[in-house]
Amino acid sequence: MEFEEIRYDVDDHVLTITLNRPERLNAFTPTMGRELIEAFDRADADDDVRAVIVTGEGRGFCAGADLGAGGSTFDWRDRQTDDEVPRDGGGVVALRIFDSTKPVIAAINGPAVGVGITMTLPMDIRLAAEGAKIGFVFARRGIVPEACSSWFLPRVVGISQAMEWVATGRVFSAEEALAGRLVRSVHPQAELLEAARALAAEISASAPVSVAVARRLLWTMLGAAHPMEAHRADSRAMLARGQSDDAREGVTSFLEKRDAVFTDRVSDGLPELFPGRREPDYTESD
């Protein structure tokens, strides 16, 4: 698949996905959504990729949904079959990012509004450039938060901060995003990608299978009813990883005071952490 609206570049174990519609401030389209899903599919299948950075080409990260259709942009009736509720495209992308086996860093280099910011919520870490403007502007457009953000946003920043940004729909600064714990750090524009790559390189030095398992544990346990669920899953993970080549290498390299060389591969599969658990299906009734 040749990409039209994103770029896909792998260097030194780090994949950089660049949203690439700079003439439209990288506004989100169905094509971009499909290409993002394909990019994450490729990343998961490629053991050379140990971390993913998502950023935007030009002066914007993503200006939200492309509004080229005018007032009918969000009228989905032509996508509806019988009584079926059409799937929100941003939500399909967000769920794919959520399922990534590689940690994901958002490098928000400019305006990120609507789906342009909600798509970053299932990413693990967000960095922003000075001057970047961010907004959950849905109520100002007569619609509602999408891309599963009613699940992600309160978990990332807390319910009060989430509700303030969503209900006001205002566009706010990178500094306010930092104070609200939406982003990890704010950087001069010219230094943003360098900071994201330095963090990705630090992640890449860790055992990739262990990182993938830890990512799944942490995200899944956000919805757990009791810490016993985490204890069970942690115990299964420790049983599997404790007997791995990576565990032996991790301890041996530490004792020998050298860098570890991890050889276990994510593509060979991850241990079963939640036996009997079945992923929800969109077509199932509530």
Side-chain angles (χ1 to χ4, degrees), residues 114-132:
V115 70
I117 188 62
T118 56
M119 76 161 73
T120 74
L121 298 178
M123 300 179 193
D124 302 290
I125 305 165
R126 285 159 295 280
L127 288 68
E130 294 174 350

Side-chain angles (χ1 to χ4, degrees), residues 157-179:
V157 303
I159 185 61
S160 294
Q161 182 64 86
M163 193 59 205
E164 178 185 338
W165 283 337
V166 166
T168 64
R170 71 167 179 268
V171 175
F172 52 92
S173 68
E175 289 70 26
E176 182 173 341
L178 178 62

